[in-house]
Amino acid sequence: MRKSYGTAALVGGCMLTICLLGGNSVAFCIGMTIVGGVAGFVFPLWQASKVKRKESRMITMDMAEYLTAVSLLLTAGIPLWEALHRGLVGRDPKRPLYRELGRAFEQYEQDRLSDPVGVFQGMSERLQIPAVSTFVCALVQNYKKGNNELAVLFMDLAVQSRTQR
């Protein structure tokens, strides 16, 4: 937000300088300064929301592949946390979903005393994307109550993610 104020001030100041050097009236220069300031404030916010929407779409698209991989690993008999971690192997860490999951695993490994599900809940709260929230909800349910059919649940979530994209 502070960056938007700085950009607004910079654009507004540039508009004022250009208007005054152009020999325009003071009223016109003030008007152009206001227009430039508003544009300098709104444009960075618009760009940030555009980037967030793009990352949200990428996460939703990648969630189906990740859940399918984890489901297959669980079906093969690999424990949940290991399957979640192995599901990241070979994935592009620059993609938003894999970057966030990698960050969650790093955070958990650094602080072993914390609740492993809490790290994923924090990721879900930070991202606020329905596909991630549903995934984390399934993890929480499994961790607290236990679920023998988690592989089937993850496969169903993968199908849901595919239909959403």
Side-chain angles (χ1 to χ4, degrees):
M1 192 66 138
R2 287 183 182 174
K3 188 174 183 180
S4 293
Y5 291 138
T7 305
L10 179 66
V11 172
C14 288
M15 293 295 285
L16 177 65
T17 304
I18 291 169
C19 283
L20 289 174
L21 290 176
N24 296 306
S25 70
V26 174
F28 178 77
C29 290
I30 291 173
M32 291 305 294
T33 301
I34 292 171
V35 168
V38 169
F41 181 77
V42 171
F43 186 72
L45 295 177
W46 176 71
Q47 281 294 104
S49 70
K50 186 177 172 182
V51 168
K52 184 174 171 89
R53 281 193 310 269
K54 181 180 177 186
E55 284 190 354
S56 176
R57 280 193 311 268
M58 289 174 71
I59 287 172
T60 301
M61 288 173 35
D62 290 342
M63 184 59 79
E65 293 176 24
Y66 179 70
L67 287 172
T68 301
V70 171
S71 177
L72 292 173
L73 291 167
L74 289 171
T75 303
I78 295 175
L80 174 63
W81 297 109
E82 188 176 342
L84 290 171
H85 201 272
R86 278 193 189 180
L88 292 176
V89 174
R91 309 286 183 194
D92 184 6
K94 294 177 184 171
R95 304 275 299 176
L97 175 65
Y98 305 125
R99 181 182 63 230
E100 290 294 331
L101 287 169
R103 187 180 302 158
F105 277 109
E106 287 174 10
Q107 184 180 359
Y108 173 65
E109 289 171 1
Q110 288 175 358
D111 187 19
R112 283 280 187 183
L113 300 176
S114 70
D115 178 21
V117 175
V119 174
F120 287 97
Q121 285 176 324
M123 179 183 74
S124 175
E125 290 171 7
R126 186 174 59 252
L127 294 176
Q128 295 181 349
I129 298 172
V132 175
S133 299
T134 305
F135 164 67
V136 171
C137 185
L139 277 178
V140 170
Q141 179 183 357
N142 175 271
Y143 187 74
K144 291 184 178 177
K145 296 180 181 179
N147 186 350
N148 296 334
E149 298 181 13
L150 192 60
V152 175
L153 176 64
F154 280 167
M155 193 57 80
D156 289 343
L157 290 176
V159 170
Q160 274 184 344
S161 292
R162 278 194 179 85
T163 57
Q164 283 180 354
R165 72 177 184 188

